[in-house]
Amino acid sequence: GIQVEQSPPDLILQEGANSTLRCNFSDSVNNLQWFHQNPWGQLINLFYIPSGTKQNGRLSATTVATERYSLLYISSSQTTDSGVYFCAVARTSGSRLTFGEGTQLTVNP
Amino acid sequence: GAGVSQSPRYKVAKRGQDVALRCDPISGHVSLFWYQQALGQGPEFLTYFQNEAQLDKSGLPSDRFFAERPEGSVSTLKIQRTQQEDSAVYLCASKGQMSSYEQYFGPGTRLTVT
């Protein structure tokens, strides 16, 4: 099956810092989603981005499908950004998502 | 509108008991997925429904796991004769029409088998 690798596994930042999270995947995909799992376990949709670039406030994401990677940028981080960030991919629109192991982000005040 | 809801949010079961976990998808969503998330790991696929049809159950870890969606809306994941290794968070996700790709997740049910 498709493999998803995320880096770094852990990231500790001071409030206000910027960060880049990376997701590599092993095959072509039609669905790529970034999620934030908050401390209560809820997976919050950040981006649906199988290709191209999107921005939403302090967050932005870029997927280079031909090179099989995606990047999530967090600018001016806040303590509420803490949690685990997951990248998940699927080969087709109706198929299962395969998740990476996640990046554990801690933002200190 | 309302998102995906799951119940119960927490379940403690003694080893050997049967449990039933419920998922209410977003109204009108055709596709429904179940995932299992072990502590410290990413969610892993269990099974997939399109309307009432179970199209993929290849992720179910054993024949003790059974899922149904009889009317194409609410789904139930049933685990028979629970074992300690079944302890995990069970997540449900739904997706709209076939042209829509994005999956939306519920809050999960945390199952602890003692």
Side-chain angles (χ1 to χ4, degrees), chain B residues 11-21 64-65 78-87 90 111-114:
Chain B
K11 177 69 178 177
V12 178
K14 292 187 186 300
R15 189 171 55 186
Q17 284 185 334
D18 298 349
V19 298
L21 313 180
R64 296 185 297 103
F65 286 71
K78 297 179 179 178
I79 309 173
Q80 298 177 325
R81 304 180 305 281
T82 52
Q83 304 295 315
Q84 284 193 319
E85 61 263 28
D86 300 335
S87 295
Y90 291 86
L111 173 65
T112 303
V113 182
T114 60

Side-chain angles (χ1 to χ4, degrees), chain A residues 13-15 79 107-109:
Chain A
L13 302 173
Q14 287 299 121
E15 202 166 24
T79 56
V107 181
N108 292 320

Side-chain angles (χ1 to χ4, degrees), chain B residues 42-92:
Chain B
E44 293 189 350
F45 170 80
L46 293 176
T47 187
Y48 160 54
F49 291 85
Q50 185 175 316
N51 295 305
E52 68 279 3
Q54 189 175 17
L55 299 186
D56 187 351
K57 55 181 182 179
S58 62
L60 296 176
S62 78
D63 59 8
R64 296 185 297 103
F65 286 71
F66 173 76
E68 60 184 6
R69 194 186 186 199
E71 297 179 358
S73 178
V74 171
S75 177
T76 304
L77 176 67
K78 297 179 179 178
I79 309 173
Q80 298 177 325
R81 304 180 305 281
T82 52
Q83 304 295 315
Q84 284 193 319
E85 61 263 28
D86 300 335
S87 295
V89 175
Y90 291 86
L91 295 163
C92 175

Side-chain angles (χ1 to χ4, degrees), chain A residues 30-31 33 35 37 39-48 86 90 92-102, chain B residues 9-10 31 33 35 37 40-45 48 56 58-59 91 95 98 100-108:
Chain A
N30 281 317
N31 182 359
Q33 292 183 243
F35 298 92
Q37 190 164 44
W40 296 271
Q42 176 74 55
L43 280 169
I44 299 166
N45 290 41
L46 297 178
F47 294 102
Y48 163 72
F86 286 105
T92 66
S93 66
S95 62
R96 65 179 76 180
L97 286 173
T98 299
F99 283 76
E101 292 292 300
Chain B
R9 291 294 313 279
Y10 303 91
S31 301
F33 301 80
Y35 295 84
Q37 186 175 20
Q41 298 183 15
E44 293 189 350
F45 170 80
Y48 160 54
D56 187 351
S58 62
L91 295 163
K95 186 178 77 68
M98 292 307 294
S100 169
Y101 293 73
E102 203 167 350
Q103 294 185 26
Y104 296 88
F105 282 77

Side-chain angles (χ1 to χ4, degrees), chain A residues 7-8 11 19-23 34 70-74 85 103:
Chain A
S7 59
L11 186 58
S19 61
T20 301
L21 283 57
R22 186 176 179 104
C23 170
W34 282 98
S70 183
L71 302 174
L72 178 68
Y73 305 96
I74 305 174
Y85 289 79
T103 292

